[in-house]
Amino acid sequence: MEMRWGLITVLIVVSVAVGFVSADEWGQRAPYRIHTLFSVECQNYFDWQTVGLMHSFKKSRQPGPITRLLSCTDEEMKNYRGMDLAPTFRVPSWSRHPKTGDWYPAINKPVGVLHWLQHSEDAKNVDWVVILDADQIIRGPIIPWELGAERGRPFAAHYGYLVGCDNMLVRLHTRHPELCDKVGGLLAMTIDDLRVLAPLWLSKTEDVRQDTAHWATNLTGDVYGKGWISEMYGYSFGAAEAGLKHKINDDLMIYPGYVPREGVEPVLMHYGLPFSVGNWSFTKLDHHEDNIVYDCNRLFPEPPYPREVKMMEPDQYKRRGLLLSLECMNTLNEGLILRHAQNGCPKPKWTKYLSFLKSKTFMELSKPKLLAPGSVHILPDQHQPPPQVDEFKGPYPKIHTLFSTECTTYFDWQTVGFMHSFRLSGQPGNITRLLSCTDEDLKKYKGHDLAPTHYVPSMSRHPLTGDWYPAINKPAAVVHWLHHTNIDAEYIVILDADMILRGPITPWEFKAARGRPVSTPYDYLIGCDNDLAKLHTRNPEACDKVGGVIIMHIEDLRKFAMYWLLKTQEVRADKEHYGKELTGDIYESGWISEMYGYSFGAAELNLRHIINKEILIYPGYVPEPGVDYRVFHYGLEFKVGNWSFDKANWRNTDMINKCWSKFPDPPSPSQVHETDNDLRQRDLLSIECGQKLNEALLLHHKRRNCPEPGSESELRESISSGSRKVGKLETKQQVKGSDDETEETTTSEGRFSRLKIWVIVVWVISGVGFLVVMLLVCSTRKVRARGGKGYRNKRRTTSYSSKTGLE
């Protein structure tokens, strides 16, 4: 066993060392001097992150030295054990601000960088600086000039949630708001640029942190509203003050759990968010006080093996994302193995997992990744005029249709109606239902086969703020789908579940183009015309009052989707501007925040819409003469004579799982207005919508093989359904965790048994009650008889005695 462990350690060390010293063979000899920096505090939490980053630094063959900027107080240093974990430059701790007393550990990053520039000898012999975070894994050399960085033009990763670069916050804190970039995570710049930037980075961090009046989520994007991301704004505002304009990239740094773009090999993994593979998951915050660096031979829970991932995920693109998650965790554990050996730990027992970490498979998966020529995609400057619109040309492009739902029967019957109309409409391309469910709801959900489905985590209850707002699931689901799916379509059509398609919706017919999406008018979004738009977008003049139907080029959607989500959160958090006069929301509850999130997000990118009034109609509205509407949107109540339909009335009715359920039939066309043609056409469309919903339900029940209506089997099905419903309520606690089928059978039989017992009990109680009443009556008569006339007393006594004898 000892020999095997020694062999593992030697192989790992040799492979890393060979990779490190042979960087020249990979063409990575740097013509300029590069120095990598990362900032930490003297805590166990940062120590295990340091082990992972340092190990990946050596494996990746990153040129030049690396320095850990260690922020510690003198008191903390007395007990600190990790001085040998990395080449270290100790810097003052400003976790507690020396002047204000404010507790804000994130300020240590600009403090550390500035202190290193001023006091380190290394800083005098550097041309380029790469700045990383401790919770990152380097996968390949980060060469600033290969990334496109230049003097005055640093390279950085995109941090789209820094919305303060777009609103009054930036105007408060920099004279050059047009230079403010939403960046962080990965920074690469010349040492000269860093010398100008560093003091501004620190001072702007202090400014934003002290500006408590403007910490609100709608201004900063900080969901906590606590100023926790002040350091990130300090960087962006400081860079703007220094006149630095970044070259921004959104795919070379990736969060484990996300799917990289096709053809892109990320060089950096940032495990700041939870990620999972199957039933295995990892969250760095779960290990905040973890002593794992110093606990001999203890590793993080081992993730699945690559062959298991290949079996669980057939899609090669999603599988690639899962393998990145494995690589992140395995690299962390590999670093811990080597660290424990350096700590003098005893040799661990031989395990299958240790064997895997020294295998050729893992070495192949984790070998250094080099940038392919032309693979660095720089995002366009968002402060420049909008890009020229690409007119539609050539053969018809592929289309993919999306609609968003939740796992409730309310959305299930809408899905049945939508899917039925989709099949009849002639809409080209594939379709996907974006199904937002909690884990608990998904266990009980029965509608998996209603549509081709992409499952997404539910954000109805916001995971950070606790705000209950189900409408946010729509942009959140689109973002999730974009990051977890290989998409070959060129145009995406986004619809709502409460729609009926009457014909195809195509980009070529409605003149959509890249840079020019198509949508339908939502004129009630008056916030595009007033101060609400000025608060939430830099380009209020580009705000379009649109929604319902969206036709957008996939590349526009990739850039736009995150803005849609972030702006939705921003507007939702801006409670002081919920007023009807600002939003048009008659309930003044922020319920249409998602719609404004869409309009404001599109305005940020200067995506101006073609607004087409001839695609969608609400049933109950009078149609324009001669218009062939493609979509019914039955979001509002509509009527024909005494018949009406309001989807909200069917929110809690299971139309899907109860055989032959349907809505009240609309009138026949012969019953509509004959004299007024406008009203006649209105009513005919309303009838068509109602008929299509019932037609869809009928076909759904036939596909379920429901028994014929009125048959004996149909009656048994109805009784059984009722029994299951009652039984589940009565026996929920006793049978929790059992299979549904077993539960339904048991509770059904139990119900009939209990019914017999209750019938007997009711008859017994009734009989006893009757006897008690009769005895009371007779007793009363007997008392009265003693004081009456003789002959009448005698007759009544005889009669009573006779009656008592009979009984």
Side-chain angles (χ1 to χ4, degrees), residues 24 74-75 114 120 147 178 192 255 315 359 364 390 446 458 522 531 549 556 579 599 612 665 704 710 716 732 804:
D24 296 348
D74 292 338
E75 191 63 30
L114 183 58
S120 172
L147 299 175
E178 73 283 356
D192 293 330
Y255 290 90
D315 185 287
S359 68
E364 182 65 24
D390 294 337
K446 298 180 180 179
S458 173
Y522 271 8
D531 288 343
V549 174
D556 290 335
S599 294
N612 191 304
D665 288 319
R704 287 184 62 221
R716 286 197 300 270
K732 184 176 180 181
T804 303

Side-chain angles (χ1 to χ4, degrees), residues 443-462:
K443 293 176 184 177
K444 300 176 288 185
Y445 185 63
K446 298 180 180 179
H448 298 282
D449 61 342
L450 298 180
T453 300
H454 177 78
Y455 298 89
V456 297
S458 173
M459 282 186 65
S460 296
R461 179 76 64 191
H462 197 285

Side-chain angles (χ1 to χ4, degrees), residues 34-38 57 62-68 128-132 138:
I34 303 174
H35 201 112
T36 303
L37 300 176
F38 69 105
F57 175 85
Q62 172 69 6
I66 186 170
T67 295
R68 173 178 64 159
W128 291 89
V129 179
V130 174
I131 303 176
L132 305 176
I138 310 173

Side-chain angles (χ1 to χ4, degrees), residues 374-576:
S375 66
V376 181
H377 172 66
I378 302 298
L379 297 181
D381 186 352
Q382 296 169 11
H383 298 276
Q384 296 299 319
Q388 184 177 357
V389 173
D390 294 337
E391 296 291 345
F392 174 77
K393 298 177 181 179
Y396 290 158
K398 289 185 179 180
I399 303 174
H400 199 111
T401 303
L402 299 177
F403 69 106
S404 175
T405 72
E406 300 161 41
C407 49
T408 65
T409 54
Y410 177 58
F411 281 103
D412 283 355
W413 65 254
Q414 294 177 42
T415 296
V416 166
F418 185 97
M419 288 302 301
H420 173 61
S421 67
F422 176 85
R423 297 183 189 103
L424 297 177
S425 68
Q427 175 72 359
N430 296 320
I431 186 168
T432 296
R433 171 180 62 163
L434 306 176
L435 184 63
S436 300
C437 287
T438 65
D439 292 340
E440 192 61 31
D441 288 339
L442 201 57
K443 293 176 184 177
K444 300 176 288 185
Y445 185 63
K446 298 180 180 179
H448 298 282
D449 61 342
L450 298 180
T453 300
H454 177 78
Y455 298 89
V456 297
S458 173
M459 282 186 65
S460 296
R461 179 76 64 191
H462 197 285
L464 295 177
T465 67
D467 177 41
W468 177 257
Y469 184 55
I472 201 173
N473 283 316
K474 186 174 181 180
V478 171
V479 170
H480 192 276
W481 180 75
L482 287 170
H483 282 100
H484 292 82
T485 307
N486 177 42
I487 305 162
D488 63 351
E490 191 173 343
Y491 281 89
I492 308 299
V493 176
I494 303 176
L495 304 174
D496 290 334
D498 57 344
M499 290 181 174
I500 296 293
L501 275 71
R502 305 178 71 238
I505 302 171
T506 61
W508 50 89
E509 181 176 359
F510 295 104
K511 310 302 182 186
R514 184 168 183 174
R516 191 175 63 192
V518 171
S519 192
T520 50
Y522 271 8
D523 292 330
Y524 56 85
L525 297 180
I526 61 174
C528 277
D529 304 328
N530 56 44
D531 288 343
L532 194 68
K534 297 175 183 177
L535 284 169
H536 292 288
T537 173
R538 296 168 301 170
N539 306 311
E541 72 285 352
C543 187
D544 292 326
K545 294 182 282 187
V546 294
V549 174
I550 300 161
I551 312 172
M552 187 176 289
H553 194 280
I554 184 62
E555 292 306 319
D556 290 335
L557 186 61
R558 290 188 193 280
K559 298 173 187 175
F560 160 71
M562 185 59 76
Y563 282 96
W564 184 5
L565 175 58
L566 293 170
K567 289 295 179 183
T568 297
Q569 294 179 113
E570 181 182 325
V571 177
R572 179 69 180 169
D574 185 12
K575 294 183 179 180
E576 63 183 87

